[in-house]
Amino acid sequence: IEFLHSLQFAKDHDAVVGVMMGSWPMHLITDMWLAVHDGDIAGWREFMEQAFCIRTFDSPEETEYYEKVIHMETRELFMYTQDGPLNQYVQFQGKIIRTLYRSYNNGIGLNMRKKPVNDMCSVLEAIFGNEQHSAVYSVVHSRSLEGEPGLKLMRRIAKNVGCDPVAALDMTPEYVKAILAPRGMLEHPILFITDHQRPEILERLLEDPEIGPNIRLIPEEASWVGGDITLAVMADVFIGNPASTFSGFIAKSRVSLGYEANYMFRKKNDDGKWVDVCEKIRIFDHKVMDVMA
């Protein structure tokens, strides 16, 4: 979020983002995207600076040559929101996200720590093998967010947009089936990603006669952040929790890449049926997501 917000701040204030080589954004990005190939750091820096309109520095002293330097803490970047039209924000943020995915890591090259990178498709391969490119599946991301803080955050989002305040936290079989059944997805694998804080959620899904037989878990030895993200981004259906930044990034990625079946904001209507309460792009909306947009 902070890196995306920093680029937005620069755009909004006619500035250029400066990033220190070896800083946490560089570590995070190169773990999943934009690996360094053949030790060509100079070429990598040139590509980064052109792709994202940034400047990279080796030391803080290099910034002294600039007339005006704006120093922002990580928290300030996280908290940054812009007041422009939503469609313009979505277009700019989506462009950044697509730029990342055009250079996803495939297991070749090094990250900023000079360590070999993982393959972003490794979890897909571990689960589906040679059928990874044709697999039809759904992903359910269950995140409880440490109890009361998660409930409080979800209530605030629900107040902003009108979705159910607990459904995306509880992930009941009824809720999941209301999404998957109309799309004919109950006959296909359902991959379950979780923070393991509420094991009863998985237990309920496994006990359900329609969902249980198709629940698949990510092998512990195969799971890692980048691989789990790719698994969810590439799913035919994604069911997530808008109070989770992990779910939020997946949903933003899917919107940016043209995937439509994203279920984050749902409620029961007067007829007792689960329905979406807003457009998919509202995951980018500060009026809904506040600083997580």
Side-chain angles (χ1 to χ4, degrees):
I1 289 179
E2 292 87 346
F3 179 67
L4 295 171
H5 283 188
S6 71
L7 297 177
Q8 188 68 49
F9 178 92
K11 179 179 182 294
D12 296 342
H13 295 83
D14 194 25
V16 175
V17 173
V19 185
M20 291 293 168
M21 296 291 290
S23 61
W24 72 261
M26 295 302 195
H27 290 162
L28 178 64
I29 290 171
T30 57
D31 280 347
M32 293 182 278
W33 306 278
L34 296 154
V36 179
H37 295 280
D38 302 319
D40 185 10
I41 286 290
W44 181 88
R45 292 178 74 156
E46 181 180 0
F47 179 82
M48 280 288 292
E49 291 182 347
Q50 292 179 354
F52 299 106
C53 297
I54 65 175
R55 289 295 306 273
T56 58
F57 298 99
D58 292 308
S59 69
E61 287 73 25
E62 294 179 50
T63 65
E64 295 175 0
Y65 298 100
Y66 292 84
E67 182 177 342
K68 182 179 181 181
V69 178
I70 302 171
H71 294 280
M72 297 184 71
E73 298 293 332
T74 300
R75 176 174 171 77
E76 291 180 272
L77 292 172
F78 179 80
M79 300 297 291
Y80 177 69
T81 60
Q82 62 93 42
D83 299 322
L86 176 60
N87 66 326
Q88 292 182 14
Y89 183 69
V90 173
Q91 289 173 6
F92 183 70
Q93 294 286 297
K95 179 182 177 182
I96 299 168
I97 291 171
R98 287 190 295 274
T99 300
L100 290 172
Y101 280 99
R102 276 195 292 270
S103 298
Y104 70 88
N105 289 349
N106 60 3
I108 301 173
L110 304 178
N111 60 22
M112 274 293 106
R113 300 179 183 87
K114 298 182 179 180
K115 301 293 184 181
V117 297
N118 286 326
D119 185 345
M120 287 284 279
C121 297
S122 61
V123 173
L124 268 168
E125 183 177 1
I127 293 171
F128 296 111
N130 294 332
E131 297 180 356
Q132 61 179 291
H133 299 295
S134 59
V136 177
Y137 66 96
S138 303
V139 165
V140 174
H141 177 228
S142 172
R143 180 80 194 276
S144 65
L145 298 163
E146 293 78 39
E148 183 58 33
L151 286 169
K152 183 179 180 180
L153 180 55
M154 194 64 220
R155 283 195 294 265
R156 187 167 74 232
I157 293 172
K159 182 179 179 180
N160 291 341
V161 77
C163 64
D164 189 281
V166 296
L169 289 169
D170 291 342
M171 290 291 179
T172 63
E174 177 206 12
Y175 179 74
V176 173
K177 285 191 289 188
I179 294 170
L180 298 183
R183 303 187 67 93
M185 293 299 292
L186 287 176
E187 305 302 320
H188 298 281
I190 303 168
L191 278 297
F192 189 77
I193 301 175
T194 179
D195 59 7
H196 302 290
Q197 291 188 12
R198 291 184 60 191
E200 72 273 13
I201 293 176
L202 176 59
E203 291 170 4
R204 286 197 302 258
L205 294 175
L206 288 170
E207 291 170 358
D208 186 88
E210 294 178 276
I211 296 177
N214 287 314
I215 287 285
R216 303 275 292 275
L217 302 179
I218 302 172
E220 186 174 344
E221 66 276 10
S223 178
W224 68 286
V225 172
D228 293 353
I229 287 175
T230 303
L231 178 74
V233 168
M234 298 295 290
D236 293 86
V237 175
F238 175 67
I239 306 173
N241 177 359
S244 161
T245 55
F246 187 79
S247 269
F249 181 74
I250 290 167
K252 290 176 184 176
S253 297
R254 288 175 61 87
V255 170
S256 301
L257 296 171
Y259 292 93
E260 294 291 333
N262 313 313
Y263 296 93
M264 302 280 281
F265 309 104
R266 307 270 286 173
K267 74 170 185 178
K268 275 188 177 180
N269 64 14
D270 293 338
D271 296 326
K273 294 181 179 180
W274 287 100
V275 295
D276 288 333
V277 300
C278 63
E279 297 176 302
K280 314 299 183 185
I281 64 170
R282 298 296 294 279
I283 192 67
F284 287 95
D285 193 344
H286 291 293
K287 294 178 181 178
V288 174
M289 300 299 298
D290 197 22
V291 297
M292 295 196 301

PDB file of all heavy atoms in Angstrom, residues 51-75:
ATOM      1  N   ALA A  51       9.867   2.741 -15.593  1.00  0.00           N
ATOM      2  CA  ALA A  51       8.553   2.090 -15.451  1.00  0.00           C
ATOM      3  C   ALA A  51       7.668   2.810 -14.444  1.00  0.00           C
ATOM      4  O   ALA A  51       6.450   2.918 -14.645  1.00  0.00           O
ATOM      5  CB  ALA A  51       8.740   0.629 -15.046  1.00  0.00           C
ATOM      6  N   PHE A  52       8.259   3.301 -13.352  1.00  0.00           N
ATOM      7  CA  PHE A  52       7.471   3.902 -12.278  1.00  0.00           C
ATOM      8  C   PHE A  52       7.714   5.404 -12.109  1.00  0.00           C
ATOM      9  O   PHE A  52       7.153   6.010 -11.189  1.00  0.00           O
ATOM     10  CB  PHE A  52       7.762   3.188 -10.956  1.00  0.00           C
ATOM     11  CG  PHE A  52       7.403   1.731 -10.961  1.00  0.00           C
ATOM     12  CD1 PHE A  52       8.388   0.763 -11.016  1.00  0.00           C
ATOM     13  CD2 PHE A  52       6.077   1.334 -10.930  1.00  0.00           C
ATOM     14  CE1 PHE A  52       8.058  -0.590 -11.024  1.00  0.00           C
ATOM     15  CE2 PHE A  52       5.740  -0.015 -10.947  1.00  0.00           C
ATOM     16  CZ  PHE A  52       6.728  -0.977 -10.997  1.00  0.00           C
ATOM     17  N   CYS A  53       8.533   5.984 -12.974  1.00  0.00           N
ATOM     18  CA  CYS A  53       8.853   7.418 -12.876  1.00  0.00           C
ATOM     19  C   CYS A  53       9.397   7.763 -11.494  1.00  0.00           C
ATOM     20  O   CYS A  53       8.906   8.683 -10.819  1.00  0.00           O
ATOM     21  CB  CYS A  53       7.635   8.270 -13.211  1.00  0.00           C
ATOM     22  SG  CYS A  53       7.063   8.069 -14.909  1.00  0.00           S
ATOM     23  N   ILE A  54      10.396   7.006 -11.040  1.00  0.00           N
ATOM     24  CA  ILE A  54      11.009   7.228  -9.740  1.00  0.00           C
ATOM     25  C   ILE A  54      12.499   7.502  -9.922  1.00  0.00           C
ATOM     26  O   ILE A  54      13.040   7.376 -11.024  1.00  0.00           O
ATOM     27  CB  ILE A  54      10.817   6.026  -8.798  1.00  0.00           C
ATOM     28  CG1 ILE A  54      11.554   4.783  -9.351  1.00  0.00           C
ATOM     29  CG2 ILE A  54       9.334   5.723  -8.604  1.00  0.00           C
ATOM     30  CD1 ILE A  54      11.533   3.587  -8.434  1.00  0.00           C
ATOM     31  N   ARG A  55      13.165   7.860  -8.843  1.00  0.00           N
ATOM     32  CA  ARG A  55      14.616   7.952  -8.807  1.00  0.00           C
ATOM     33  C   ARG A  55      15.111   7.036  -7.704  1.00  0.00           C
ATOM     34  O   ARG A  55      14.543   6.987  -6.616  1.00  0.00           O
ATOM     35  CB  ARG A  55      15.083   9.393  -8.521  1.00  0.00           C
ATOM     36  CG  ARG A  55      14.871  10.362  -9.655  1.00  0.00           C
ATOM     37  CD  ARG A  55      15.699  10.012 -10.885  1.00  0.00           C
ATOM     38  NE  ARG A  55      17.110   9.880 -10.578  1.00  0.00           N
ATOM     39  CZ  ARG A  55      17.968  10.896 -10.563  1.00  0.00           C
ATOM     40  NH1 ARG A  55      17.544  12.126 -10.815  1.00  0.00           N
ATOM     41  NH2 ARG A  55      19.251  10.689 -10.297  1.00  0.00           N
ATOM     42  N   THR A  56      16.185   6.329  -7.976  1.00  0.00           N
ATOM     43  CA  THR A  56      16.779   5.450  -6.975  1.00  0.00           C
ATOM     44  C   THR A  56      18.082   6.069  -6.482  1.00  0.00           C
ATOM     45  O   THR A  56      18.832   6.690  -7.252  1.00  0.00           O
ATOM     46  CB  THR A  56      17.055   4.051  -7.554  1.00  0.00           C
ATOM     47  OG1 THR A  56      17.922   4.168  -8.697  1.00  0.00           O
ATOM     48  CG2 THR A  56      15.754   3.384  -7.965  1.00  0.00           C
ATOM     49  N   PHE A  57      18.336   5.887  -5.186  1.00  0.00           N
ATOM     50  CA  PHE A  57      19.525   6.474  -4.562  1.00  0.00           C
ATOM     51  C   PHE A  57      20.262   5.406  -3.754  1.00  0.00           C
ATOM     52  O   PHE A  57      19.656   4.484  -3.220  1.00  0.00           O
ATOM     53  CB  PHE A  57      19.138   7.621  -3.633  1.00  0.00           C
ATOM     54  CG  PHE A  57      18.458   8.763  -4.324  1.00  0.00           C
ATOM     55  CD1 PHE A  57      17.070   8.882  -4.307  1.00  0.00           C
ATOM     56  CD2 PHE A  57      19.195   9.723  -5.002  1.00  0.00           C
ATOM     57  CE1 PHE A  57      16.437   9.925  -4.947  1.00  0.00           C
ATOM     58  CE2 PHE A  57      18.572  10.776  -5.646  1.00  0.00           C
ATOM     59  CZ  PHE A  57      17.185  10.885  -5.623  1.00  0.00           C
ATOM     60  N   ASP A  58      21.573   5.587  -3.671  1.00  0.00           N
ATOM     61  CA  ASP A  58      22.388   4.683  -2.863  1.00  0.00           C
ATOM     62  C   ASP A  58      22.574   5.189  -1.438  1.00  0.00           C
ATOM     63  O   ASP A  58      22.838   4.409  -0.528  1.00  0.00           O
ATOM     64  CB  ASP A  58      23.771   4.491  -3.503  1.00  0.00           C
ATOM     65  CG  ASP A  58      23.695   3.719  -4.814  1.00  0.00           C
ATOM     66  OD1 ASP A  58      23.089   2.633  -4.822  1.00  0.00           O
ATOM     67  OD2 ASP A  58      24.234   4.204  -5.823  1.00  0.00           O
ATOM     68  N   SER A  59      22.429   6.508  -1.243  1.00  0.00           N
ATOM     69  CA  SER A  59      22.610   7.075   0.096  1.00  0.00           C
ATOM     70  C   SER A  59      21.786   8.350   0.226  1.00  0.00           C
ATOM     71  O   SER A  59      21.506   9.021  -0.780  1.00  0.00           O
ATOM     72  CB  SER A  59      24.086   7.384   0.355  1.00  0.00           C
ATOM     73  OG  SER A  59      24.511   8.461  -0.462  1.00  0.00           O
ATOM     74  N   PRO A  60      21.402   8.715   1.446  1.00  0.00           N
ATOM     75  CA  PRO A  60      20.626   9.946   1.659  1.00  0.00           C
ATOM     76  C   PRO A  60      21.363  11.197   1.186  1.00  0.00           C
ATOM     77  O   PRO A  60      20.738  12.186   0.809  1.00  0.00           O
ATOM     78  CB  PRO A  60      20.410   9.967   3.173  1.00  0.00           C
ATOM     79  CG  PRO A  60      20.541   8.541   3.605  1.00  0.00           C
ATOM     80  CD  PRO A  60      21.569   7.946   2.694  1.00  0.00           C
ATOM     81  N   GLU A  61      22.706  11.154   1.185  1.00  0.00           N
ATOM     82  CA  GLU A  61      23.481  12.324   0.801  1.00  0.00           C
ATOM     83  C   GLU A  61      23.215  12.737  -0.652  1.00  0.00           C
ATOM     84  O   GLU A  61      23.348  13.918  -1.009  1.00  0.00           O
ATOM     85  CB  GLU A  61      24.978  12.056   0.987  1.00  0.00           C
ATOM     86  CG  GLU A  61      25.439  12.036   2.429  1.00  0.00           C
ATOM     87  CD  GLU A  61      24.988  10.765   3.164  1.00  0.00           C
ATOM     88  OE1 GLU A  61      24.755   9.746   2.473  1.00  0.00           O
ATOM     89  OE2 GLU A  61      24.851  10.812   4.398  1.00  0.00           O
ATOM     90  N   GLU A  62      22.820  11.789  -1.480  1.00  0.00           N
ATOM     91  CA  GLU A  62      22.567  12.096  -2.891  1.00  0.00           C
ATOM     92  C   GLU A  62      21.378  13.028  -3.070  1.00  0.00           C
ATOM     93  O   GLU A  62      21.284  13.725  -4.085  1.00  0.00           O
ATOM     94  CB  GLU A  62      22.334  10.801  -3.668  1.00  0.00           C
ATOM     95  CG  GLU A  62      23.548   9.897  -3.758  1.00  0.00           C
ATOM     96  CD  GLU A  62      23.243   8.627  -4.522  1.00  0.00           C
ATOM     97  OE1 GLU A  62      22.679   8.720  -5.634  1.00  0.00           O
ATOM     98  OE2 GLU A  62      23.554   7.534  -4.014  1.00  0.00           O
ATOM     99  N   THR A  63      20.493  13.068  -2.092  1.00  0.00           N
ATOM    100  CA  THR A  63      19.322  13.931  -2.220  1.00  0.00           C
ATOM    101  C   THR A  63      19.643  15.401  -1.949  1.00  0.00           C
ATOM    102  O   THR A  63      18.820  16.270  -2.207  1.00  0.00           O
ATOM    103  CB  THR A  63      18.204  13.477  -1.256  1.00  0.00           C
ATOM    104  OG1 THR A  63      18.652  13.645   0.109  1.00  0.00           O
ATOM    105  CG2 THR A  63      17.831  12.026  -1.487  1.00  0.00           C
ATOM    106  N   GLU A  64      20.832  15.673  -1.432  1.00  0.00           N
ATOM    107  CA  GLU A  64      21.198  17.046  -1.101  1.00  0.00           C
ATOM    108  C   GLU A  64      21.324  17.932  -2.336  1.00  0.00           C
ATOM    109  O   GLU A  64      21.346  19.154  -2.241  1.00  0.00           O
ATOM    110  CB  GLU A  64      22.513  17.055  -0.311  1.00  0.00           C
ATOM    111  CG  GLU A  64      22.408  16.369   1.053  1.00  0.00           C
ATOM    112  CD  GLU A  64      23.748  16.283   1.760  1.00  0.00           C
ATOM    113  OE1 GLU A  64      24.757  16.761   1.172  1.00  0.00           O
ATOM    114  OE2 GLU A  64      23.791  15.741   2.884  1.00  0.00           O
ATOM    115  N   TYR A  65      21.426  17.327  -3.503  1.00  0.00           N
ATOM    116  CA  TYR A  65      21.568  18.099  -4.734  1.00  0.00           C
ATOM    117  C   TYR A  65      20.231  18.638  -5.237  1.00  0.00           C
ATOM    118  O   TYR A  65      20.198  19.408  -6.193  1.00  0.00           O
ATOM    119  CB  TYR A  65      22.216  17.241  -5.822  1.00  0.00           C
ATOM    120  CG  TYR A  65      23.614  16.782  -5.477  1.00  0.00           C
ATOM    121  CD1 TYR A  65      23.849  15.500  -4.986  1.00  0.00           C
ATOM    122  CD2 TYR A  65      24.713  17.641  -5.624  1.00  0.00           C
ATOM    123  CE1 TYR A  65      25.131  15.081  -4.663  1.00  0.00           C
ATOM    124  CE2 TYR A  65      25.995  17.228  -5.301  1.00  0.00           C
ATOM    125  CZ  TYR A  65      26.197  15.939  -4.826  1.00  0.00           C
ATOM    126  OH  TYR A  65      27.468  15.540  -4.498  1.00  0.00           O
ATOM    127  N   TYR A  66      19.150  18.241  -4.573  1.00  0.00           N
ATOM    128  CA  TYR A  66      17.822  18.672  -5.004  1.00  0.00           C
ATOM    129  C   TYR A  66      17.373  19.869  -4.177  1.00  0.00           C
ATOM    130  O   TYR A  66      17.608  19.938  -2.960  1.00  0.00           O
ATOM    131  CB  TYR A  66      16.818  17.520  -4.881  1.00  0.00           C
ATOM    132  CG  TYR A  66      17.086  16.407  -5.874  1.00  0.00           C
ATOM    133  CD1 TYR A  66      18.023  15.416  -5.594  1.00  0.00           C
ATOM    134  CD2 TYR A  66      16.428  16.364  -7.093  1.00  0.00           C
ATOM    135  CE1 TYR A  66      18.297  14.408  -6.504  1.00  0.00           C
ATOM    136  CE2 TYR A  66      16.687  15.361  -8.007  1.00  0.00           C
ATOM    137  CZ  TYR A  66      17.621  14.381  -7.708  1.00  0.00           C
ATOM    138  OH  TYR A  66      17.888  13.395  -8.626  1.00  0.00           O
ATOM    139  N   GLU A  67      16.721  20.804  -4.839  1.00  0.00           N
ATOM    140  CA  GLU A  67      16.302  22.046  -4.181  1.00  0.00           C
ATOM    141  C   GLU A  67      15.273  21.795  -3.094  1.00  0.00           C
ATOM    142  O   GLU A  67      15.304  22.416  -2.033  1.00  0.00           O
ATOM    143  CB  GLU A  67      15.734  23.010  -5.232  1.00  0.00           C
ATOM    144  CG  GLU A  67      15.304  24.347  -4.667  1.00  0.00           C
ATOM    145  CD  GLU A  67      14.811  25.294  -5.740  1.00  0.00           C
ATOM    146  OE1 GLU A  67      15.112  25.053  -6.926  1.00  0.00           O
ATOM    147  OE2 GLU A  67      14.118  26.279  -5.414  1.00  0.00           O
ATOM    148  N   LYS A  68      14.337  20.875  -3.355  1.00  0.00           N
ATOM    149  CA  LYS A  68      13.289  20.580  -2.377  1.00  0.00           C
ATOM    150  C   LYS A  68      13.134  19.077  -2.233  1.00  0.00           C
ATOM    151  O   LYS A  68      12.931  18.378  -3.224  1.00  0.00           O
ATOM    152  CB  LYS A  68      11.956  21.206  -2.802  1.00  0.00           C
ATOM    153  CG  LYS A  68      10.834  20.987  -1.806  1.00  0.00           C
ATOM    154  CD  LYS A  68       9.544  21.651  -2.262  1.00  0.00           C
ATOM    155  CE  LYS A  68       8.420  21.444  -1.242  1.00  0.00           C
ATOM    156  NZ  LYS A  68       7.151  22.077  -1.684  1.00  0.00           N
ATOM    157  N   VAL A  69      13.231  18.595  -1.017  1.00  0.00           N
ATOM    158  CA  VAL A  69      13.067  17.171  -0.728  1.00  0.00           C
ATOM    159  C   VAL A  69      11.987  17.014   0.335  1.00  0.00           C
ATOM    160  O   VAL A  69      12.055  17.648   1.393  1.00  0.00           O
ATOM    161  CB  VAL A  69      14.379  16.528  -0.236  1.00  0.00           C
ATOM    162  CG1 VAL A  69      14.147  15.054   0.103  1.00  0.00           C
ATOM    163  CG2 VAL A  69      15.475  16.667  -1.285  1.00  0.00           C
ATOM    164  N   ILE A  70      10.988  16.192   0.050  1.00  0.00           N
ATOM    165  CA  ILE A  70       9.904  15.934   0.997  1.00  0.00           C
ATOM    166  C   ILE A  70      10.165  14.582   1.656  1.00  0.00           C
ATOM    167  O   ILE A  70      10.191  13.555   0.973  1.00  0.00           O
ATOM    168  CB  ILE A  70       8.533  15.909   0.286  1.00  0.00           C
ATOM    169  CG1 ILE A  70       8.288  17.229  -0.440  1.00  0.00           C
ATOM    170  CG2 ILE A  70       7.416  15.619   1.284  1.00  0.00           C
ATOM    171  CD1 ILE A  70       7.059  17.205  -1.334  1.00  0.00           C
ATOM    172  N   HIS A  71      10.380  14.590   2.938  1.00  0.00           N
ATOM    173  CA  HIS A  71      10.609  13.346   3.678  1.00  0.00           C
ATOM    174  C   HIS A  71       9.280  12.872   4.268  1.00  0.00           C
ATOM    175  O   HIS A  71       8.601  13.625   4.965  1.00  0.00           O
ATOM    176  CB  HIS A  71      11.631  13.558   4.794  1.00  0.00           C
ATOM    177  CG  HIS A  71      13.012  13.888   4.301  1.00  0.00           C
ATOM    178  ND1 HIS A  71      13.880  12.927   3.838  1.00  0.00           N
ATOM    179  CD2 HIS A  71      13.652  15.083   4.178  1.00  0.00           C
ATOM    180  CE1 HIS A  71      15.008  13.506   3.467  1.00  0.00           C
ATOM    181  NE2 HIS A  71      14.892  14.818   3.661  1.00  0.00           N
ATOM    182  N   MET A  72       8.921  11.623   4.002  1.00  0.00           N
ATOM    183  CA  MET A  72       7.673  11.064   4.524  1.00  0.00           C
ATOM    184  C   MET A  72       7.946   9.720   5.173  1.00  0.00           C
ATOM    185  O   MET A  72       8.637   8.864   4.605  1.00  0.00           O
ATOM    186  CB  MET A  72       6.633  10.904   3.411  1.00  0.00           C
ATOM    187  CG  MET A  72       6.205  12.222   2.775  1.00  0.00           C
ATOM    188  SD  MET A  72       4.889  12.023   1.549  1.00  0.00           S
ATOM    189  CE  MET A  72       3.489  11.616   2.627  1.00  0.00           C
ATOM    190  N   GLU A  73       7.399   9.543   6.365  1.00  0.00           N
ATOM    191  CA  GLU A  73       7.513   8.269   7.056  1.00  0.00           C
ATOM    192  C   GLU A  73       6.564   7.250   6.429  1.00  0.00           C
ATOM    193  O   GLU A  73       5.597   7.607   5.749  1.00  0.00           O
ATOM    194  CB  GLU A  73       7.185   8.437   8.540  1.00  0.00           C
ATOM    195  CG  GLU A  73       8.119   9.383   9.289  1.00  0.00           C
ATOM    196  CD  GLU A  73       9.526   8.840   9.387  1.00  0.00           C
ATOM    197  OE1 GLU A  73       9.689   7.588   9.387  1.00  0.00           O
ATOM    198  OE2 GLU A  73      10.470   9.649   9.439  1.00  0.00           O
ATOM    199  N   THR A  74       6.857   5.977   6.676  1.00  0.00           N
ATOM    200  CA  THR A  74       6.028   4.908   6.122  1.00  0.00           C
ATOM    201  C   THR A  74       4.566   5.073   6.539  1.00  0.00           C
ATOM    202  O   THR A  74       3.652   4.895   5.723  1.00  0.00           O
ATOM    203  CB  THR A  74       6.546   3.531   6.590  1.00  0.00           C
ATOM    204  OG1 THR A  74       7.893   3.367   6.143  1.00  0.00           O
ATOM    205  CG2 THR A  74       5.695   2.411   6.020  1.00  0.00           C
ATOM    206  N   ARG A  75       4.332   5.445   7.799  1.00  0.00           N
ATOM    207  CA  ARG A  75       2.959   5.619   8.271  1.00  0.00           C
ATOM    208  C   ARG A  75       2.257   6.749   7.511  1.00  0.00           C
ATOM    209  O   ARG A  75       1.073   6.655   7.196  1.00  0.00           O
ATOM    210  CB  ARG A  75       2.940   5.908   9.774  1.00  0.00           C
ATOM    211  CG  ARG A  75       1.535   6.197  10.307  1.00  0.00           C
ATOM    212  CD  ARG A  75       1.502   6.337  11.815  1.00  0.00           C
ATOM    213  NE  ARG A  75       0.224   6.813  12.270  1.00  0.00           N
ATOM    214  CZ  ARG A  75      -0.879   6.059  12.367  1.00  0.00           C
ATOM    215  NH1 ARG A  75      -0.821   4.784  12.027  1.00  0.00           N
ATOM    216  NH2 ARG A  75      -2.022   6.567  12.790  1.00  0.00           N
TER     217      ARG A  75
END
